Amino acid sequence: MSGEARTGGTPGHDGGQGGGRGGSGGPDRRDAHGRERGAARARGAGQRSEAAPSQRAKGADPARNVAFDVLQEVATSDAYANLVLPPLLRSRGIRGRDAAFATELAYGTLRLRGRYDAIIAQCVDRPLDQVDPNVLDLLRLGAHQLLGMRVAQHAAVSETVGLARARAGAGSAQFVNAVLRKISRSTLEEWLEAITLDAPDDVTRLATTQSHPVWIARAMREALVGTGRSADDLAELLEADNTAPRVTLVARPGLVSRERLAGEVTHDVRGDATTTPGRWTPTALVLSGSDPAAIPAVRYGAAGVQDEGSQLVTLAFAGTPTLPATSDAAAGDRSDGAANPDERWLDLCAGPGGKAALLASLAGEQGARIVANEVAPHRARLVEQALAAVPADAVERVQVGDGRQVGVEEPGAYDRVLVDAPCTGLGALRRRPESRWRRTPGDIATLTTLQRELLGSALDAVRPGGVVGYVTCSPHLAETQLVVKDVLAGRDDVEVLDAAAAVRQVAGDDIPLADRTDVQLWPHVHGTDAMHLTLLRRRA
């Protein structure tokens, strides 16, 4: 058995005694018929399920099994839930309402893990790191059903106990039953009050109730203030991180129109699928009620799944004009010697290929061509797949290489360079909820060193008069403003462009942006991932 129910009471209730662990020296564990009993029942302290024996779940339904398997993959294989869950659902034939239930159960449990761990910690008599990890995942799944979903208490408990019996054994199932019954005796509001009684400050309190590591909550508060918003936005931002994002499609220009894509969803996809146009870009289409993989345009690459914030910063970058080169030499190592070329683009960190595909489709419309660079071979293959539907003359090549070396190897060779820099991903926590539990403050120093090197390489690779876009899916000031500031401090050949104006050219004047030249998008303001965009130009 992996732990015991705490004998202390739950908020507003008297405590019940939980299940115990077996061991020598305890009471006789055989009943009057000679059958061995569990240790807890032998001493008369066990918790029985409220359901009759014939009604107790012997196993678990497929949706709960899938959710548990997702948590296992995330924990043991460092996998991402959004990559693990869809193929599991397809392989097991789980569709419709059951698929929606499994999705909410898996993602919701991952998002709110910190909150549930704080609650579970008040119901067991040992530190959570001494509870078997599998059992802890079962408790988290049960807690989410009890406190975060519209699941009847008896079903949440009995089905999770059945899952525990099938996947962790009878002893663990008794323990899960005891803890979940204790959790069920208090409302979510009572639990949130209980787990923050000793919070030293408001940020810690919000981090606990909204299920974020405290260091991330503090970094988010600093980013809000540092980008012109109020610190009071923090509660709304953290809540937005815990809201399931909408599935957003991108209609890649020249390959499929947004109207045609919507028509494909309506006519070619079974079920109650609906679409609505995106809020900020002419390429975005919000999808509900369907698996994107079932849409023909997505299958053959004319469309894809891409957050609207990602689309917006890509379109703003691509729409920023270059300036004429002052001489043939200023055009770099170009064979045509054109005075104002805008026909050779570079995606410096292209994997897995979403922005590269959108850029390539735009390049194809404008007579330009793109080079997609990616350091990891397996991600380069994903880029090739993403570019499959793009006309061949719009893609010069997909290459595997270190982006930090491109500026040395090809100085001044490109008219525009996009740096979609590797980052902490703190801007996409609603989409990749497990990231908040994997990242540490120590990651920042490593990543910002890489980001500075990549941005410097991009500025060397672009010709004078050309444009560089620096993008991160993180609002952390160290990964955004400070990286740009550090790189520009060592150069006198770069000017900062008005990224806010470029974004408004795409989204319209109504988009709420701070009075700054760079742009920071926010989930609670724009309904997008927290994308950052800085636009730079090599002086001609």
Side-chain angles (χ1 to χ4, degrees), residues 43 52 72 98 126 214 287 392 421 429 466 481 490 525:
R43 66 173 185 265
Q72 293 289 286
D98 286 342
R126 64 196 57 209
V214 174
L287 175 69
L429 295 183
Q481 295 177 26
V525 177

Side-chain angles (χ1 to χ4, degrees), residues 66-110:
V66 163
F68 180 70
D69 287 337
V70 169
L71 265 61
Q72 293 289 286
E73 283 293 315
V74 167
T76 61
S77 302
D78 208 29
Y80 286 105
N82 65 330
L83 301 179
V84 172
L85 179 60
L88 277 178
L89 293 175
R90 286 194 292 270
S91 66
R92 299 182 189 183
I94 300 174
R95 302 180 181 87
R97 294 179 63 182
D98 286 342
F101 181 88
T103 300
E104 168 54 29
L105 182 54
Y107 286 9
T109 300
L110 287 169

Side-chain angles (χ1 to χ4, degrees), residues 56-60 157-168 173 176:
R56 295 176 196 158
K58 298 290 191 296
V157 174
S158 64
E159 291 292 341
T160 307
V161 170
L163 179 62
R165 185 178 297 112
R167 305 297 294 269
V176 169

Side-chain angles (χ1 to χ4, degrees), residues 173-530:
Q174 292 177 0
F175 172 61
V176 169
N177 179 57
V179 175
L180 292 184
R181 288 183 65 191
K182 187 177 290 292
I183 292 173
S184 72
R185 294 181 189 135
S186 300
T187 65
L188 175 61
E189 291 72 23
E190 290 171 331
W191 277 119
L192 294 182
E193 181 179 357
I195 62 179
T196 55
L197 284 176
D198 299 325
D201 53 58
D202 286 343
V203 174
T204 302
R205 177 182 59 80
L206 283 171
T208 303
T209 59
Q210 294 298 337
S211 192
H212 285 66
V214 174
W215 77 269
I216 291 180
R218 295 195 188 283
M220 292 294 194
R221 185 182 186 277
E222 292 172 0
L224 286 164
V225 174
T227 56
R229 299 202 64 85
S230 170
D232 294 338
D233 277 18
L234 181 60
E236 193 176 354
L237 170 59
L238 298 186
E239 185 176 1
D241 276 350
N242 292 328
T243 302
R246 304 176 300 175
V247 175
T248 303
L249 304 178
V250 55
R252 292 165 180 156
L255 304 182
V256 66
S257 68
R258 185 163 66 177
E259 293 71 26
R260 171 68 178 273
L261 181 58
E264 284 195 9
V265 174
T266 302
H267 295 103
D268 296 337
V269 179
R270 296 179 181 178
D272 56 352
T274 61
T275 61
T276 55
R279 185 179 178 188
W280 306 119
T281 67
T283 53
L285 192 69
V286 179
L287 175 69
S288 63
S290 175
D291 179 1
I295 302 169
V298 173
R299 289 202 302 271
Y300 64 77
V305 177
Q306 186 176 8
D307 176 73
E308 190 171 16
S310 175
Q311 297 180 46
L312 179 54
V313 297
T314 304
L315 294 171
F317 160 73
T320 300
T322 61
L323 291 181
T326 56
S327 67
D328 289 351
D333 298 331
R334 301 180 57 88
S335 60
D336 55 18
N340 185 27
D342 187 16
E343 57 188 31
R344 195 160 188 253
W345 302 359
L346 171 64
D347 187 346
L348 191 65
C349 311
K355 293 183 182 69
L358 179 52
L359 279 177
S361 66
L362 294 167
E365 286 194 318
Q366 299 177 31
R369 62 192 187 278
I370 187 172
V371 173
N373 180 80
E374 171 54 45
V375 69
H378 73 281
R379 287 170 63 87
R381 289 191 290 271
L382 294 176
V383 176
E384 291 174 344
Q385 294 171 14
L387 296 173
V390 177
D393 58 1
V395 180
E396 182 174 323
R397 66 179 181 272
V398 176
Q399 65 185 27
V400 177
D402 187 340
R404 295 171 294 182
Q405 300 302 315
V406 173
V408 174
E409 296 168 353
E410 297 185 88
Y414 296 94
D415 302 305
R416 59 179 74 237
V417 180
L418 178 67
V419 187
D420 183 18
C423 66
T424 56
L426 299 184
L429 295 183
R430 61 193 189 132
R431 196 174 305 281
R432 288 191 166 177
E434 59 284 302
S435 292
R436 70 187 76 181
W437 312 118
R438 291 178 178 170
R439 288 300 185 187
T440 68
D443 294 331
I444 300 295
T446 301
L447 285 165
T448 53
T449 298
L450 175 61
Q451 290 156 2
R452 289 191 294 268
E453 293 172 343
L454 289 168
L455 180 54
S457 177
L459 290 168
D460 291 335
V462 77
R463 67 166 176 84
V467 174
V468 170
Y470 177 72
V471 171
T472 66
C473 189
S474 170
H476 198 297
L477 295 180
E479 299 187 87
T480 56
Q481 295 177 26
L482 296 182
V483 164
V484 174
K485 181 180 178 181
D486 287 349
V487 171
L488 296 190
R491 309 185 67 119
D492 59 4
D493 61 342
V494 181
E495 62 178 317
V496 179
L497 303 180
D498 191 347
V503 165
R504 289 192 176 97
Q505 283 290 109
V506 178
D509 292 338
D510 291 337
I511 186 170
L513 298 175
D515 186 17
R516 299 179 52 85
T517 54
D518 60 3
V519 167
Q520 181 62 59
L521 303 176
W522 295 103
H524 68 296
V525 177
H526 305 99
T528 68
D529 290 346

